[in-house]
Amino acid sequence: MIARPTVLALIGALLATASHAAGPDDRRHMEDLSRQVANIAAVAQLGELPAAEVGNMAKGPYAMTPAMLGVLQGRKAAPILKLGEAVGAGEVDSVKVDFVLAQLRMQMGANYHLQLRQALPSREAPTLFVRGGRMTLKELVAAGAKVDPSALVAQDGKVVAHWPIIVWSDAELVLEPGDNLRLDDANGVFLFNAGLLRADGATVAGLGNGNARQEKFRPFITTALTGGMQVSGTHFSNLGFDGYSAMEGVSLIGGAIFPSKIRSYVVGSVFDNAGTLTFRNARDLVLQGNTFRAMTGPAVELNHVERARIASNLISGTRTSHGISLKGGTSEATIGSNIVIDNAGSGIFAANGTRLLTIEGNLLAANRGGGIGLVRSVCADLEGNTVFRNGQSGVKLRQTSSVTISGNDLVGNDGMAVSVVQQPMSGDLSISSNVFDGNKSGLFGAAVRSVALTGNDFSAQMPILFDGELARFVPALLKSDAGLQGADMTLTGNPLPSQMDVSGISPYGLETCDLGDRS
């Protein structure tokens, strides 16, 4: 949960800001938007929407869309077909933890196993090894008791795991509604899944009892090799071995050459202080209708993921990083109808080869970084987002090509509404039908090649309209027939000849941002 002082400070800052808008209409609009964000902050803290405000949130110039109201009111995502289910009853054995650490070492390509080994009682520590079929948590408790009664202990409606749990590639572990699995920090317990992990209406949490051998250790859940995870309506908390990528919370780390054929998804679930939800070397993901609170950050990270939908999630209060992060050549991701507020970094940040990205209909507010940041990315559509009172730029593009920014409300950001830096020598940038209102400056450019403006409203953006090397176009804007409301202009700057050409970042004809027929 977000700490109460943080939420109260957020609400106070937003309402105070509203009083400084230029005119009566601007103040009223700022107050409307501030009230929306304040209500959302209350939902993030209290877990419910104030009944008296439901109707108000659907009215006014910054009315919440039905999709966003659905996020706040806890509407469940549509059911998804479960694929890859194991057949038959599984078996449980005891396997030494060094076997699992060797698998981690091969999969992750780093010495994460060394830090994990420090958290374990010894190199000879045992694990519960599930193989050869399907097993529920209740069945695992019964089977584990035959291996060692201390491995899993059922008490007070909970199952406490004192040994790590390994689900092998031919097995499936099922957490059913009402299951409550607790992982023992003190014994270095984690859940490693190479098969299928299914959780529906369950709870999985760290015990929070600390680890004397490795003080940074907290339990984690890692799916690797060719495994998959299918999660709905499940609550995760007190997870994440901070600083070690594959163990920072709940992770799916696929094989780069042989990715999992199991369709993975996380829907309608809650992550409280659970590190990061990470996907690497994966494809065809669905993350929908989830709530993320007080994550280490980023709350959600996609690294080298192909085709993903991130929709209708509420993300608030990351401690060290962004709300949503995409990197490592992630492609064909759609991020829509999410509410991303009060995070330590940017609301949404994409970098290092991210391509074919759609960001639409999101609310990005009061993040201490920017609203949306794209670095070394190509082919992105940013449409219909509300980007409000973020600590830096509303939208920042650096070394990023072929971008359309249309129909967004860019309001009250502490930096530029839109910042364009080191624009590549190929690919267009179109900025159309956006509202620029009360930002530190409107449009900033440095080493810009060409920016096409169409139908934007700058009437509430005074006094700084354009900044950087684009400031020279302000007189032309003011003299245009449409003036501050709707002028069509092409702005050019001073590109550097050495600026990279990102059109070669992908083989799929990205000059037109068109995948073509890949069937």
Side-chain angles (χ1 to χ4, degrees):
M1 303 291 282
I2 299 177
R4 181 173 295 274
T6 302
V7 174
L8 294 178
L10 170 66
I11 294 171
L14 293 170
L15 293 177
T17 299
S19 66
H20 296 296
D25 289 341
D26 293 326
R27 282 197 298 272
R28 185 170 62 254
H29 290 173
M30 284 281 199
E31 288 167 358
D32 288 343
L33 190 47
S34 296
R35 187 173 296 108
Q36 301 286 48
V37 176
N39 281 329
I40 294 163
V43 173
Q45 178 176 336
L46 303 175
E48 61 184 13
L49 185 66
E53 291 288 350
V54 174
N56 292 333
M57 293 183 78
K59 302 174 183 177
Y62 296 111
M64 301 291 286
T65 64
M68 286 190 179
L69 281 173
V71 175
L72 297 179
Q73 292 171 306
R75 186 184 61 196
K76 291 187 177 180
I80 298 176
L81 180 65
K82 295 178 173 61
L83 305 177
E85 297 178 356
V87 178
E91 300 177 358
V92 176
D93 294 315
S94 173
V95 172
K96 291 180 180 179
V97 75
D98 254 6
F99 169 77
V100 182
L101 299 184
Q103 298 300 320
L104 274 172
R105 182 171 64 252
M106 288 189 294
Q107 184 74 3
M108 311 313 171
N111 291 325
Y112 298 127
H113 65 291
L114 299 178
Q115 289 77 23
L116 179 55
R117 183 178 288 155
Q118 293 174 4
L120 294 162
S122 75
R123 300 182 58 157
E124 304 295 312
T127 70
L128 285 177
F129 190 85
V130 182
R131 61 182 178 84
R134 181 180 185 273
M135 181 163 285
T136 67
L137 182 60
K138 294 180 180 65
E139 292 167 341
L140 180 59
V141 170
K146 297 177 182 178
V147 175
D148 189 310
S150 68
L152 287 173
V153 178
Q155 57 187 37
D156 301 325
K158 302 179 181 67
V159 174
V160 179
H162 298 291
W163 289 12
I165 299 171
I166 314 303
V167 182
W168 202 232
S169 57
D170 60 351
E172 173 185 350
L173 177 62
V174 180
L175 305 181
E176 299 175 310
D179 282 350
N180 191 332
L181 175 61
R182 301 301 172 110
L183 307 177
D184 184 2
D185 304 49
N187 278 345
V189 171
F190 57 93
L191 195 164
F192 180 87
N193 167 48
L196 176 59
L197 174 63
R198 288 177 49 201
D200 180 10
T203 297
V204 184
L207 273 182
N209 55 340
N211 188 293
R213 294 171 297 277
Q214 169 55 270
E215 63 179 17
K216 294 178 66 176
F217 178 82
R218 291 199 306 174
F220 60 89
I221 300 170
T222 295
T223 293
L225 303 175
T226 57
M229 63 179 180
Q230 299 176 343
V231 176
S232 62
T234 293
H235 191 168
F236 299 91
S237 62
N238 298 326
L239 300 174
F241 194 175
D242 188 24
Y244 304 104
S245 174
M247 303 181 285
E248 284 189 319
V250 180
S251 306
L252 186 150
I253 314 296
I257 299 177
F258 300 108
S260 174
K261 295 181 179 179
I262 300 173
R263 182 181 180 186
S264 293
Y265 59 81
V266 180
V267 300
S269 296
V270 175
F271 293 77
D272 270 321
N273 188 26
T276 296
L277 176 61
T278 301
F279 293 88
R280 187 193 307 168
N281 296 331
R283 60 180 61 171
D284 298 314
L285 301 176
V286 176
L287 309 178
Q288 183 170 330
N290 305 290
T291 297
F292 298 85
R293 297 185 288 240
M295 303 288 277
T296 303
V300 176
E301 180 174 276
L302 305 187
N303 187 344
H304 198 250
V305 169
E306 183 177 358
R307 295 184 299 274
R309 185 170 83 248
I310 303 175
S312 302
N313 301 285
L314 173 58
I315 300 173
S316 65
T318 60
R319 297 193 296 275
T320 65
S321 188
H322 314 298
I324 299 172
S325 174
L326 299 89
K327 61 184 182 180
T330 290
S331 65
E332 299 178 71
T334 298
I335 304 175
S337 299
N338 300 282
I339 296 170
V340 188
I341 66 169
D342 191 30
N343 296 290
S346 295
I348 299 171
F349 185 80
N352 300 333
T354 299
R355 58 190 186 269
L356 297 162
L357 176 63
T358 300
I359 301 175
E360 58 183 1
N362 302 282
L363 173 62
L364 305 152
N367 298 292
R368 292 185 284 289
I372 300 170
L374 306 181
V375 177
R376 291 184 59 86
S377 298
V378 63
C379 291
D381 290 331
L382 282 55
E383 182 175 358
N385 302 285
T386 297
V387 186
F388 176 61
R389 287 298 298 165
N390 295 286
Q392 298 177 15
S393 299
V395 175
K396 184 172 184 177
L397 310 179
R398 179 183 290 273
Q399 295 183 324
T400 291
S401 179
S402 300
V403 178
T404 299
I405 303 173
S406 63
N408 302 281
D409 290 319
L410 306 167
V411 181
N413 295 287
D414 288 349
M416 309 83 169
V418 178
S419 171
V420 184
V421 178
Q422 296 179 345
Q423 186 183 17
M425 297 303 293
S426 66
D428 298 325
L429 171 57
S430 171
I431 301 177
S432 63
S433 303
N434 303 282
V435 173
F436 291 72
D437 185 347
N439 305 282
K440 183 177 180 180
S441 64
L443 176 60
F444 173 87
V448 170
R449 182 176 59 83
S450 177
V451 179
L453 299 182
T454 306
N456 299 285
D457 184 352
F458 287 93
S459 59
Q461 182 47 53
M462 303 294 283
I464 303 178
L465 297 169
F466 300 157
D467 204 357
E469 64 188 36
L470 302 180
R472 63 191 179 93
F473 290 96
V474 171
L477 174 66
L478 296 175
K479 292 176 183 178
S480 67
D481 292 338
L484 297 179
Q485 294 181 302
D488 296 348
M489 305 175 63
T490 298
L491 315 183
T492 56
N494 303 301
L496 301 175
S498 61
Q499 283 172 198
M500 70 166 198
D501 183 347
V502 293
S503 64
I505 210 166
S506 163
Y508 298 128
L510 292 180
E511 294 84 355
T512 59
C513 295
D514 184 5
L515 276 173
D517 184 5
R518 297 178 57 202
S519 59

